[in-house]
Amino acid sequence: MNWMGNLQQLGRSLMLPTITIPVAAILLRLGTLPWQDIHMSSVGEIMIFFGNTIFTYLPMIFAVGVALGLTENAGIAGLSALIGQIMFNQAIRHYLGDEFHLGIPGGILIGLIAAIIYHRVKHIQLPEYIQFFGGPRMVPLLMGFSILVLTLIVIQIGPYLEYFMQTLSTAVLSLGGFGTFVYGVIHRLLVPSGLHHVFNNLFWFQLGVYEKPSGEMIFGDLPRFFAGDPKAGIYMAGLYPIMMFALPAIAMAIIHEAREDLKPKIRITFLTAALASFLTGVTEPIEFAFLFVAPYLFIVHAILSGLSMWIAYYFDIHHGFSYSAGAIDFLINYHLSHNGWMLIPIGLAYFFVYYFLFRWAIRRFRIPTPGREEGSQLEEWAGDIPYRSPLILQALGGKNNIKKIEACITRLRLTLNNDKLMDTAALKHLGAAGVIRLGGGNVQVVFGTYSELIREEIKKVLMKDIHRVLFSAPMQGRMMPLEEVPDQIFAGKLVGNGVAFMPDKGELVAPVAGKIIILYPSLHAVGIQTEEGLEVLLHIGIDTSQLQGKWFTAHIKEGDYVEAGQLLIRFNLHKVKQNSKSLATPMIITNVDKVKSWSFAPFKTVKKGQASVMSVVLKDVTGGGNTFG
């Protein structure tokens, strides 16, 4: 069983119901405004009532949200989870009383049951005369039986389960400041994998209990905080200095350590990321900027995050949030906090510690953070997403390698049939800040805030039945637009369309599989015909035919079939450069009438054989005559 993939998907599904919590927080804050001064006290009362209602029904919201999140928004699964939650709540209240309930974990469990049933029966075919109840329509029926079994079990073990949860909660809370430190470290270390959503659930929605004046029992650090529990907020308060101050400090350090020529672009990117972290608590764009190039620094970051939690506990600070520990939540929920103002000086101290620590580390260890080299990631390329996404798909191993593709705020979450088919170098070339392999074919590719847009474009490609041909880099060097080739014939696309490369190594390899249909006697150019009938010309340098094959060695002959990446020609880079107009090497398709559309990767440095530097969609796949001359 693919446990890691299932945990990832569960973590993502938990984000859906939490979207409702900021609504509740805003309503509760607005409800405390002095409405009575304008003789509208009822408006404030209704807002507070609405906010509390959302928290009351959070278990139901989580049940529906988890079911939808695990079934790609299948409405029948969400409806079945809703029915199941209502049945379960009523039965438990009748047999065990109002004092016992499973809360949000119970809602998650019911959502999981609905999702599992949906995936088990959605393709079942019944005899024609009862097929109306086949497939997904079986889910509500089976959900009813499942809830019956679950209820019977909980009625029997309920008192023991309640004792266990109380014991666990007491044990964790008894750890005091050290417990918050451990939580902070683990929380931060799980962020790259996305599993922190699962981990947080225990602390935010289960630990601790608070009885409201009405007698209602509230569980979890987050709901207890909004219910007015003075002891709540210890597992949230310490996150504010990190998200509002520490992460923006890292962004500033990266900006100030960037090269002067790249600093304007880096400044725009990371000031935006710093503002997002400060206001909303979205930290991944900054964290992923150094995670892959300096993982040891991320461990230091995790320890400092845990220390922030401990410091907040030591100073008896209680603060919470509805979405994340950003300035918006800080201000909205400040009226519920205790000693919340102390988070500002702590945060400022963290800002200076992080700023000087990261500037020192970047310089001392020469960490290639964005802006310190030409290959820096996190570039602005939103308008290029529709054209680059097919190349990203190919770098992931192609359509047949994708089992599941999802996205969260900063990353693609994928389940691949074979993660060994994924080309990590090509993905980084196409804009990925990094790739996280979690085993079992589960992969995360960090594309920053464009991840959701990339997923949508890739899903469009997956649904289309089109014929696409992908090209790898034929040599190591810099990829460049064809228009920059210092030759009017190639630059004007009179021979065909494509791209060019400025080599830094004297080797030419096949960019695509096919048949060698022409090898020029001077060995400076070679033509390949793909199985789709595309005719690809590779021309080493400009005005190199006059060299008459000197300093060139062919490793293939006409009529040979070659695979992508196979060596075609070696040449003496230094001699050819001295005796030719330019080393610019065009890779062009000469029979452009067969091509419907073109896609190109960024024009940057590539490695020999690097996948997905160019792709074309064909009008048809029929063969054609030789157009090389």
Side-chain angles (χ1 to χ4, degrees):
M1 184 176 291
N2 193 345
W3 290 105
M4 185 58 71
N6 293 336
L7 281 174
Q8 280 193 93
Q9 193 172 5
L10 174 61
R12 184 176 183 273
S13 69
L14 291 174
M15 296 176 64
L16 180 61
T18 57
I19 295 174
T20 62
I21 300 178
V23 179
I26 292 171
L27 287 170
L28 291 174
R29 182 66 185 97
L30 293 176
T32 61
L33 297 178
W35 294 99
Q36 65 276 5
D37 292 350
I38 55 175
H39 307 290
M40 296 182 66
S41 298
S42 59
V43 173
E45 293 172 1
I46 292 174
M47 287 183 175
I48 292 175
F49 178 79
F50 282 169
N52 287 326
T53 299
I54 291 177
F55 280 105
T56 300
Y57 287 95
L58 269 183
M60 190 175 295
I61 294 170
F62 268 81
V64 176
V66 168
L68 292 175
L70 293 175
T71 60
E72 298 182 353
N73 296 319
I76 194 72
L79 177 63
S80 299
L82 176 62
I83 295 171
Q85 182 70 26
I86 294 173
M87 293 170 58
F88 181 77
N89 283 349
Q90 294 301 316
I92 294 302
R93 183 176 294 114
H94 179 76
Y95 289 102
L96 295 180
D98 293 333
E99 297 80 14
F100 177 85
H101 65 86
L102 293 181
I104 289 174
I108 294 172
L109 175 61
I110 290 173
L112 279 169
I113 293 172
I116 291 170
I117 293 174
Y118 173 81
H119 286 296
R120 290 290 185 271
V121 305
K122 63 182 178 180
H123 297 304
I124 289 180
Q125 298 289 325
L126 297 177
E128 186 175 349
Y129 50 86
I130 56 171
Q131 176 54 33
F132 176 81
F133 296 101
R137 284 186 288 270
M138 294 180 67
V139 180
L141 178 63
L142 295 178
M143 190 69 184
F145 288 114
S146 300
I147 294 301
L148 173 61
V149 174
L150 177 63
T151 302
L152 292 173
I153 294 173
V154 172
I155 289 174
Q156 297 300 317
I157 69 170
Y160 305 102
L161 184 62
E162 184 176 22
Y163 175 77
F164 169 76
M165 292 305 299
Q166 288 177 352
T167 303
L168 175 63
S169 179
T170 302
V172 174
L173 291 173
S174 67
L175 293 174
F178 179 72
T180 62
F181 170 78
V182 173
Y183 163 78
V185 173
I186 297 176
H187 166 87
R188 192 52 51 191
L189 291 176
L190 288 177
V191 165
S193 67
L195 297 181
H196 59 298
H197 298 298
V198 180
F199 178 70
N200 288 339
N201 193 267
L202 171 65
F203 291 86
W204 291 353
F205 298 110
Q206 191 59 36
L207 280 187
V209 61
Y210 173 64
E211 184 176 357
K212 296 176 67 175
S214 62
E216 182 183 356
M217 307 300 290
I218 306 296
F219 296 86
D221 200 49
L222 191 151
R224 288 191 294 117
F225 174 79
F226 284 99
D229 184 356
K231 296 181 180 180
I234 62 173
Y235 290 103
M236 294 180 285
L239 293 175
Y240 277 107
I242 300 301
M243 297 181 178
M244 288 178 58
F245 297 96
L247 270 301
I250 296 174
M252 297 302 296
I254 290 174
I255 292 171
H256 292 155
E257 289 301 320
R259 281 172 24 191
E260 288 300 321
D261 58 325
L262 297 176
K263 192 169 287 186
K265 182 187 293 185
I266 296 301
R267 182 181 293 112
I268 293 172
T269 300
F270 279 90
L271 282 180
T272 302
L275 186 62
S277 180
F278 177 77
L279 291 177
T280 68
V282 176
T283 62
E284 283 93 336
I286 299 174
E287 288 177 309
F288 286 132
F290 69 90
L291 168 63
F292 299 103
V293 294
Y296 51 87
L297 208 52
F298 193 85
I299 294 175
V300 174
H301 169 49
I303 294 173
L304 289 173
S305 297
L307 187 60
S308 175
M309 299 291 297
W310 201 340
I311 292 172
Y313 182 89
Y314 177 81
F315 286 106
D316 193 30
I317 301 173
H318 298 261
H319 206 328
F321 47 78
S322 58
Y323 174 69
S324 190
I328 294 175
D329 257 303
F330 180 86
L331 294 174
I332 289 176
N333 306 315
Y334 182 77
H335 67 292
L336 296 172
S337 70
H338 175 69
N339 289 334
W341 66 270
M342 298 182 69
L343 293 172
I344 301 301
I346 293 172
L348 290 172
Y350 257 77
F351 179 91
F352 288 108
V353 169
Y354 265 71
Y355 177 76
F356 289 110
L357 170 65
F358 271 75
R359 286 204 70 174
W360 172 81
I362 291 170
R363 287 185 181 180
R364 174 65 177 81
F365 302 107
R366 298 181 180 179
I367 301 172
T369 50
R372 290 176 60 82
E373 56 180 11
E374 288 288 355
S376 299
Q377 302 300 326
L378 298 178
E379 295 179 84
E380 295 293 336
W381 48 279
D384 195 34
I385 288 175
Y387 307 100
R388 201 178 300 194
S389 294
L391 299 172
I392 293 173
L393 175 59
Q394 186 62 22
L396 291 169
K399 294 174 65 172
N400 295 331
N401 199 35
I402 307 292
K403 291 177 66 175
K404 185 177 296 183
I405 179 169
E406 296 175 332
C408 65
I409 297 173
T410 57
R411 64 193 108 179
L412 293 179
R413 297 172 180 261
L414 301 126
T415 302
L416 306 178
N417 288 310
N418 184 359
D419 58 6
K420 293 182 180 179
L421 297 178
M422 181 176 60
D423 191 324
T424 302
L427 288 169
K428 291 183 178 180
H429 179 67
L430 291 164
V435 177
I436 304 171
R437 298 176 186 263
L438 298 171
N442 297 291
V443 174
Q444 294 183 5
V445 186
V446 181
F447 279 108
T449 51
Y450 298 133
S451 298
E452 184 65 35
L453 296 175
I454 294 171
R455 182 188 74 92
E456 292 300 320
E457 291 297 328
I458 289 179
K459 293 200 79 169
K460 290 178 184 178
V461 176
L462 291 173
M463 291 186 290
K464 292 179 181 178
D465 186 18
I466 58 177
H467 204 119
R468 188 182 299 273
V469 182
L470 279 295
F471 291 80
S472 302
M475 53 177 45
Q476 179 175 307
R478 182 175 62 87
M479 181 174 163
M480 54 193 288
L482 199 60
E483 293 82 355
E484 293 183 8
V485 174
D487 181 88
Q488 293 183 357
I489 301 297
F490 288 117
K493 302 181 181 179
L494 300 180
V495 180
N497 194 8
V499 295
F501 300 85
M502 186 64 70
D504 54 31
K505 190 175 182 180
E507 290 183 343
L508 180 75
V509 301
V512 68
K515 178 183 179 181
I516 303 296
I517 55 176
I518 186 169
L519 177 62
Y520 286 78
S522 54
L523 306 182
H524 74 290
V526 59
I528 303 174
Q529 185 177 61
T530 70
E531 62 178 10
E532 298 85 3
L534 288 178
E535 293 169 357
V536 184
L537 174 64
L538 299 161
H539 194 285
I540 302 172
I542 303 302
D543 292 342
T544 49
S545 59
Q546 62 181 353
L547 301 180
Q548 297 299 314
K550 193 175 182 181
W551 304 305
F552 292 85
T553 303
H555 290 261
I556 41 83
K557 60 182 182 301
E558 289 186 8
D560 286 353
Y561 286 89
V562 295
E563 297 295 329
Q566 183 175 334
L567 180 63
L568 302 178
I569 297 172
R570 275 199 173 95
F571 58 97
N572 188 313
L573 183 73
H574 181 68
K575 293 291 187 181
V576 173
K577 182 178 182 179
Q578 282 185 328
N579 293 276
S580 63
K581 181 178 179 181
S582 170
L583 281 176
T585 300
M587 176 180 74
I588 58 176
I589 296 174
T590 58
N591 50 348
V592 293
D593 57 305
K594 289 184 174 294
V595 178
K596 181 180 180 180
S597 63
W598 304 73
S599 295
F600 303 100
F603 297 104
K604 299 191 300 185
T605 301
V606 295
K607 296 180 180 179
K608 178 184 65 177
Q610 182 173 304
S612 307
V613 298
M614 182 179 84
S615 78
V616 297
V617 175
L618 303 183
K619 294 179 181 177
D620 56 63
V621 294
T622 57
N626 184 351
T627 59
F628 296 127

